Amino acid sequence: MSRLLEGRIAIVTGAGRGIGRAHALELARHGAKVVVNDYGVTLAGETVHTNGAGDSPAHDVVREIEALGGEAVVNGADVADFDAAEAMVQQAIDTFGGLDILVNNAGFVRDRMLVNTSEEEWDAVIRVHLKGHFAPLRHAGAYWRAEAKEGRQRAARVVNTSSGAGLQGSVGQGTYSAAKAGIAGLTLVAAAEMGRYGVTVNAIAPVAKTRMTEGAFDTSAMALPEDNSPLVAWLASAEAGDVTGRVIEIDGSVITVENGWAHGPSADAGARWDATEVGPALRKLLAEAPPPEPVYGAS
């Protein structure tokens, strides 16, 4: 097998199980040295205890990578903790000599209809998904900017994790959908801001049978977590330097480039609109625009 990532250094967050674990293993198979981050929480974000030896799912993934002949190290940071995220980036630099790849994947769900969602549930989900993308990206970005200014620009790659819920919406997942939509927006801005430092920033919207989807949907025909990881490995490669600011859905064998918000039909009144004229004008524009894709789970 050709190795796309020989000698490159990666962080994968939420890599103890599911899609994150699959990403870490795939990157390692292609030659990357991997910081395997996992905070060790349940599907709902509650802390779980390690076994008596202090092992966590991340330790198991490191052992799997080492069995493949690769190099990896465990990181147990809460990725939404600003200082802990900085320390995670520094761990990659101190352990392996730098950082080339950041795969932001960590997250959990607390599904509720909007009228049943508590403030605590909203805050927890937004924190781990959205701030948990921002904090590692901010610190990795600062490192790559410093490297570029010192004449050591790296072919740096960020792969964020959005979702169809964030792009089309999903009934019963208002908080999760808002967080994942925020990640898509953050991806676009980061790509525009960080390109000057040699950094590409893209997001995937993976479809897979995981702890997060089981129980919420019929997962019998869904792809496996590892089916998403070849796309991540390629986006993380030096070869992918011309691809940035994209959101790409991966569903088993199907890759789809998502088209996000874009300007559609418009009308100019030439002056401030009269409220009574807005309705007819807007209805005409809506008739000219393509209909929105349906929200997942909508009847």
Side-chain angles (χ1 to χ4, degrees), residues 3-10 30-33 96 100-101 154:
R3 286 158 64 98
L4 286 169
L5 307 173
E6 196 69 57
R8 288 170 68 73
I9 300 159
H30 279 277
K33 301 172 184 179
F96 297 126
D100 303 295
I101 301 159
R154 306 181 79 96

Side-chain angles (χ1 to χ4, degrees), residues 96-201:
F96 297 126
L99 179 64
D100 303 295
I101 301 159
L102 172 63
V103 180
N104 282 316
N105 167 78
F108 59 76
V109 293
R110 293 186 183 177
D111 292 348
R112 296 281 190 276
M113 301 298 276
L114 280 172
V115 296
N116 294 326
T117 301
S118 71
E119 182 180 17
E120 183 276 332
E121 288 166 337
W122 173 272
D123 288 346
V125 172
I126 296 296
R127 177 184 182 276
V128 72
H129 285 280
L130 196 48
K131 188 177 179 183
H133 271 61
F134 159 71
L137 177 56
R138 189 271 186 206
H139 294 301
Y143 165 71
W144 291 323
R145 180 182 61 182
E147 287 289 281
K149 287 184 175 180
E150 292 297 322
R152 299 187 298 265
Q153 182 166 298
R154 306 181 79 96
R157 306 285 179 261
V158 178
V159 182
N160 292 329
T161 306
S162 185
S163 168
L167 304 173
Q168 283 84 40
S170 179
V171 171
Q173 292 190 309
T175 308
Y176 178 75
S177 296
K180 289 302 192 183
I183 289 167
L186 177 63
T187 297
L188 303 183
V189 175
E193 291 184 354
M194 296 172 65
R196 72 192 71 181
Y197 310 126
V199 184
T200 68
V201 186

